[in-house]
Amino acid sequence: LIMSGQKYATNPWVSFGRAAMNPRSWVLHLTYATCFGVELVMNGNLASYFQTSFGLDEGTAGLIASLFGLMNLFARSLGGITSDFGSKRWGMLGRLLVFFATEVMEGLMLLTFSR
């Protein structure tokens, strides 16, 4: 594309600098970091939690805990599909509304499950 003139070569450091100066990039970065951090903590502690709380043996507890990670394959795909639907219907506002609704629901579910 660059040789045909349909696309111009850009400096990757300039593109990175522009993205780093965009506050929306930082909001998404922090959201993903906290989400991924919770996922890592859950994956690391679920097996021992199942062992101590429900008296499961190590193999069964590990198997059930691994299902939490596998669930992410479905959940991430569903999130992308939902975001694409919102974008197709309402543009960038649709993506933001889907993102906002997902985050609110996640927060409410975390509050519900913590009790």
Side-chain angles (χ1 to χ4, degrees), residues 17-104:
R18 285 186 194 140
M21 298 303 289
N22 189 335
R24 291 174 283 198
S25 296
W26 285 102
V27 169
L28 288 175
H29 173 76
L30 291 173
T31 302
Y32 184 78
T34 54
C35 177
F36 189 61
V38 169
E39 183 178 330
L40 289 177
V41 169
M42 292 295 290
N43 288 337
N45 294 314
L46 271 179
S48 60
Y49 172 76
F50 290 148
Q51 282 180 292
T52 57
S53 297
F54 302 108
L56 299 176
D57 63 279
E58 189 173 328
T60 304
L63 176 66
I64 294 171
S66 70
L67 294 176
F68 181 81
L70 289 173
M71 177 185 61
N72 289 320
L73 294 174
F74 167 75
R76 289 174 193 253
S77 299
L78 184 61
I81 291 168
T82 308
S83 178
D84 289 345
F85 172 76
S87 176
K88 184 183 280 188
R89 182 145 179 147
W90 298 292
M92 187 60 180
L93 177 63
R95 282 196 193 275
L96 292 172
L97 289 173
V98 168
F99 179 72
F100 178 76
T102 302
E103 292 297 311
V104 168

Side-chain angles (χ1 to χ4, degrees), residues 98-113:
V98 168
F99 179 72
F100 178 76
T102 302
E103 292 297 311
V104 168
M105 288 303 297
E106 183 179 349
L108 291 173
M109 295 308 266
L110 285 171
L111 288 172
T112 301
F113 291 146

